[in-house]
Amino acid sequence: VAKTLQLDSEKEVESWVIAAVSSGLLSAKMDQLQQSVMVERSVVRKFDVEQWKALQSRLNVWKQNVRGILESYKQSAAMTQPPGV
């Protein structure tokens, strides 16, 4: 990690990892004895056209699901109202 980040010492790795985790860029575990960092998840810093398309697709699915729930709710409410109301 120190070499990849071009840090002067391996001691700086701990500070870098703590800063990245604190800022929400990484979810990671550090093993000081083995001098390793296990990254569980990371945030994508680049949001290009493909990410926008994926987000649009997920939002469209979410909208359809919400519409379905609202429609079911309306039908249920209509069935429970007494006649003539």
Side-chain angles (χ1 to χ4, degrees):
V1 175
K3 185 187 256 185
T4 302
L5 295 175
Q6 300 174 350
L7 301 174
D8 293 330
S9 72
E10 291 181 7
K11 291 181 180 182
E12 291 180 73
V13 172
E14 184 176 359
S15 297
W16 184 88
V17 171
I18 290 170
V21 169
S22 296
S23 67
L25 292 173
L26 288 179
S27 176
K29 293 181 182 177
M30 213 170 6
D31 186 338
Q32 293 174 322
L33 294 176
Q34 304 234 349
Q35 294 184 335
S36 65
V37 177
M38 297 291 291
V39 177
E40 296 170 347
R41 107 183 140 70
S42 65
V43 175
V44 177
R45 294 172 55 143
K46 180 181 171 188
F47 212 79
D48 61 15
V49 175
E50 290 303 315
Q51 279 85 18
W52 283 113
K53 287 179 182 178
L55 179 60
Q56 180 183 28
S57 175
R58 291 176 69 186
L59 286 173
N60 285 334
V61 168
W62 179 79
K63 283 176 21 180
Q64 290 172 354
N65 290 339
V66 170
R67 281 189 192 119
I69 291 168
L70 288 173
E71 189 59 37
S72 294
Y73 175 76
K74 287 177 186 177
Q75 289 175 359
S76 176
M79 291 172 55
T80 59
Q81 280 188 335
V85 176

